[in-house]
Structure formats: C-alpha cells, structure tokens
Amino acid sequence: MFPSTSPETGRDPWADDARPGPAGPSRGYPPGPRTGPDDGSAERKGPRRLRKGGPGRRPDDEPADAPEEEVPPVPVRRPLALTVAGFAALLGTGLVLGAQTAGPGHRLPFAFIVFGVQLLFVLAWTMAMRPPALLVVALISAGAAGIADAAAVQSEIAGLAPLGYAAAAGFVLGVLGQLVRRVDRVRVTDSLGSTLLIVVGVVSFASLIVLSRIPKGTQAITVCLTATGVALLVARLTDAVAPLPRLAPQVPRGAAGVVLGAMLGTLTSAVLGSYLVGFTPTSAALVGLVTAATAVLADLAVGYAEAGRLMAGEPPTLWIARHMQGPLGGFALAAPAAYAMCVLFL
C-alpha cells in the first residue's frame, strides 16, 4: 500500500532545488536577457580612476581633446616697414660717406659720426630691453663708446684690443651700477645678457674707425656697409609688399625679404668690387655676403626678441626706439664682421 502522503512532505522545497524563476526556454538553451533596469554595474567598460577633487571616471567618460586655438598672425603695417627701410638706407649712407672723410691724421670727423650712431644705439636698445637701472646702464654704455672711439683714433697700433678693454670695463661698471639699488639687485642676474648686448653692441661700432686705419680699410667699409644697407633696405621693402612666407605668426616678417636682401646686398658688393682698387668682384662678393647676411639675420632676431617680450606680457616700449633697434643691431654686428673679413681675406 502506498502511503497517503508524498515522501516530499515536510521537506523544504527550496533546499536542494534551485529557486524557480520565471518561465523561460527549455533546458539546454541560454537564459534570455534581463528585462529589468540596467544600473550599469553588470558590465564595466574600464577601471574607474580617481580624480583630484572629484569622483572617479572611466576613460570613455573623458571629453574629446579640444582643438588647438590658432594664433592670428600679426598684421604687417606697410607704412612702418617703409619707414624702417628708409632709416636703414640713411644709416648706411651716413656711415659710408663718413668713412670717405677719414684719412691719415683726419679721423675725428668719422669718429664723431660713429659716436652719433652709437648714441642712437644706446637709446634704442636700452629703451627696448629695459635693464635694471636703465639710466645708469645708458650712461655707462655711452661712456664706453666714447672711450672706445678715442682709443681707436689715438692708439699707436690699429687693433681691437683697446675696444675689448673698453667693453669689459663698461660691462663690469654696468653690473655694479645695477647692484647699488636694492630694487634693481633682484633682477641683475636676469639682465646680465641684456647689459652685455648693449655694451658690446655700442663698442662694436668703433671697429669701423680701426678698420679705416688699415690698408684697404676704407674700401672695405664702403663695400661692406653698402651691402648691409642694401640688404636691410630690400628686406624691409619686400616685407611691405609681400611678407611671404611668414616665418612666425607673431613676427611681421617674411622669408622672401630675408633671402632677397642677402642676395641683392651680395650683388651690390660684387658690382662695387669691380670698380674699387684692391678688390675683385669675387672678393667683394665674399665680404659683402658675410656682412649682408649677418645684418639681415640680426635684424630678424630683433623682431623675434620683441615678439617674445610681448608674449611674456611685458608692456611695449617707446615706438621709435623699438623700430630703430633692428637696423642699428644689424649695422652693429656687420661692423666687426667687416673688420674680420678684411683682416682675414684681403
């Protein structure tokens, strides 16, 4: 006889068997997808990362990279470029004509012309670079220029050694003048480069006086400074017409002006070399190429330096000094280059 009650009576129906769920497909098939709300915890797309000051987030939550902001190019002001070109031409003409007045026992007129250019250099570069104790640096640089000119005229042997002594003394005195005031003492280490550039640049013009005392020196000044003036003139005129391609958005200069200036300056020196005694077109082109390229690159470097100061947040300096700085720097670097080329290759 079978018992009246099932043998399963009294047992927990959920003890051995799985808890019955909703009706689904037959055995052997995978269960259907869940229809409940998905809170995103079932499947993680990546590890959560902690952020400083906020909750963690996954890589897919990161925003896309923002596009880089394009810097609008600085506009090229045509009247300004033409004005700077005219100033470079006048500066070169004055120095070349002044060199023609130099002769044995008559070098003071040329020394006065060079000293006037040196004063313009001190004015422009001190106002543009603004070293600590600006007035002290300007006065010491002007004094170093006068001492260098006197040494170039009065020294028994024409050489650059007295100019080097004058530049070293001017630099040391300029740094000491900046250390006197406490407010300027803090910035003196940052201004060593600017002080050295101003003192060495203003003294370098005196090398033209030394060059006028050696054989072929006056002809070398004519060739080199003419090439320098033509190079700077053509470079600025090209920038006024077609400043392309732009070398940098913040610098209103073009590569075409730099290349054309150096090329036409070299061509001008080669033409002059065919007429001057002691020169050939080849030798004149060689010295003209070095001085013209040096001057154009120095002028371009001044533009980059000015753009860097403006991007650093420094206030713009005096308008006329800022734009005189480039041509004056070009001639300041071309003067010792002309002396070196004349001594080494002529």
Side-chain angles (χ1 to χ4, degrees), residues 44-69:
R44 295 187 181 275
K45 298 181 180 181
R48 300 180 70 87
R49 298 183 298 180
L50 294 178
R51 291 184 299 168
K52 185 177 179 180
R57 64 180 181 184
R58 291 187 296 272
D60 56 297
D61 296 331
E62 297 179 357
D65 294 338
E68 297 183 359
E69 183 180 356

Side-chain angles (χ1 to χ4, degrees), residues 30-247:
R34 298 180 60 181
T35 59
D38 186 7
D39 57 356
S41 61
E43 180 180 358
R44 295 187 181 275
K45 298 181 180 181
R48 300 180 70 87
R49 298 183 298 180
L50 294 178
R51 291 184 299 168
K52 185 177 179 180
R57 64 180 181 184
R58 291 187 296 272
D60 56 297
D61 296 331
E62 297 179 357
D65 294 338
E68 297 183 359
E69 183 180 356
E70 295 184 359
V71 179
V74 177
V76 178
R77 291 180 287 179
R78 183 173 298 177
L80 176 60
L82 295 176
T83 303
V84 177
F87 173 71
L90 289 177
L91 187 61
T93 303
L95 288 173
V96 170
L97 293 180
Q100 304 303 318
T101 65
H106 297 86
R107 294 185 178 90
L108 283 180
F110 185 42
F112 283 122
I113 294 174
V114 171
F115 185 69
V117 176
Q118 288 171 321
L119 292 181
L120 288 178
F121 182 91
V122 171
L123 172 65
W125 278 71
T126 52
M127 292 299 296
M129 306 192 76
R130 291 187 298 273
L134 185 147
L135 184 59
V136 174
V137 174
L139 292 177
I140 291 175
S141 300
I147 294 174
D149 295 343
V153 172
Q154 300 294 333
S155 60
E156 296 182 2
I157 300 176
L160 297 182
L163 309 188
Y165 299 146
F171 174 69
V172 173
L173 291 177
V175 173
L176 292 178
Q178 295 172 6
L179 291 174
V180 172
R181 297 180 56 190
R182 188 173 184 179
V183 65
D184 298 327
R185 198 179 308 158
V186 179
R187 299 175 49 208
V188 68
T189 54
D190 298 333
S191 67
L192 290 178
S194 60
T195 305
L196 182 63
L197 280 176
I198 294 171
V199 174
V200 173
V202 72
V203 171
S204 66
F205 279 101
S207 61
L208 296 175
I209 303 175
V210 179
L211 186 58
S212 66
R213 296 181 55 185
I214 64 178
K216 301 182 183 179
T218 303
Q219 293 89 337
I221 293 175
T222 302
V223 171
C224 294
L225 295 191
T226 302
T228 300
V230 170
L232 294 174
L233 174 66
V234 172
R236 293 289 184 165
L237 289 179
T238 306
D239 289 337
V241 177
L244 299 173
R246 290 291 292 268
L247 296 173

